[in-house]
Amino acid sequence: MKFRPCIDLHSGQVKQIVGSTLSDDKQNALTATQSTVEAENFSTDKPASDYAVMYKDDGLTGGHVIMLGPGNQNAAKSALEAYPQGLQIGGGITSSNASEWLSYGASHVIVTSFVFHNGQIDFDRLNGLVDQIGKDRLVLDLSCRRKVGDTTGPYYVVTDRWQTYTDVEVNEETLKMLGGYCAEFLVHGVDNEGKRCGILEDLVQLLGNYSPVPVTYAGGVQGLDDLDRVKTLGNGNVDLTIGSALDCFGGDIKYDDVVAWHKKEN
């Protein structure tokens, strides 16, 4: 099991937000010209490239840069240039720009809204993307949430900055089927993302039991012991991203302690 670092960008700045509070033009999420955040945990003028260099120096691989809305391309490029092949890129990725982002130094592109289109899996788009860049460079983002008011039902993939529910359940069948099209999954537990309220244990267990490819979970980490909790619940098969809870993003968990845990495990 690995710790996977992150760089979340909003309006060109490194930020940590509460995942369920990002809003913009739902109908045009891939091309929207503005987005707003109702709940923000952390914001800094420190360049994204500085975080990328820190992750590179600490030998952390497979982290992700997520562009939350427009205005983030320059910051994202600077991070990829600072750590070539060390970071994945997501946010508004389509077949028209995937190869371009790989050329900027991303190890993989992360895709959600382009593939989960009109509430369904668009296999024409998915197959086209795989043909274009190869499954080994593609990460499918299965960030998900339960329907409002349903505390025990299935998790559904959400798109358009996590605002729009699809009809795609995250379950054994979906994981095994989609695993044939990509190198990895990235899964944000959206309702807990940025809230430091605890991980979604049943979701971690589901991913650990059924994902046929490497998978990274993010959302709700409270303390250093959540690393061991995810390791146990996910049978060692689920990597963990920590954002808002880290001291480098204004939280309480020492980044250096997380890196030490990671190095001990790996």
Side-chain angles (χ1 to χ4, degrees), residues 19-22 142-148 150 153-159 161-166 168 170 188-192 195 200 203:
S20 54
T21 67
L22 184 66
L142 304 184
S143 293
C144 57
R145 59 201 311 188
R146 288 188 164 113
K147 295 289 178 70
V148 176
D150 185 354
Y155 290 96
Y156 291 90
V157 174
V158 287
T159 64
R161 324 280 190 252
W162 303 332
Q163 300 170 72
T164 304
Y165 281 94
T166 69
V168 182
V170 178
H188 290 85
V190 173
D191 286 324
N192 288 24
K195 296 180 181 177
L200 292 167
L203 180 55

Side-chain angles (χ1 to χ4, degrees), residues 117-182:
H117 182 57
N118 291 332
Q120 306 289 333
I121 302 168
D122 189 322
F123 284 100
D124 287 339
R125 289 185 171 191
L126 180 56
N127 282 307
L129 204 50
V130 171
D131 288 343
Q132 180 184 338
I133 65 171
K135 63 170 283 190
D136 292 341
R137 307 296 297 276
L138 177 62
V139 176
L140 289 178
D141 185 336
L142 304 184
S143 293
C144 57
R145 59 201 311 188
R146 288 188 164 113
K147 295 289 178 70
V148 176
D150 185 354
T151 58
T152 59
Y155 290 96
Y156 291 90
V157 174
V158 287
T159 64
D160 304 338
R161 324 280 190 252
W162 303 332
Q163 300 170 72
T164 304
Y165 281 94
T166 69
D167 297 327
V168 182
E169 290 186 27
V170 178
N171 55 29
E172 178 181 1
E173 180 184 4
T174 302
L175 290 168
K176 290 183 175 178
M177 183 267 294
L178 289 175
Y181 292 89
C182 65

Side-chain angles (χ1 to χ4, degrees), residues 106-121:
S107 64
H108 300 71
V109 292
I110 304 167
V111 177
T112 313
S113 298
F114 180 70
V115 166
F116 296 96
H117 182 57
N118 291 332
Q120 306 289 333
I121 302 168

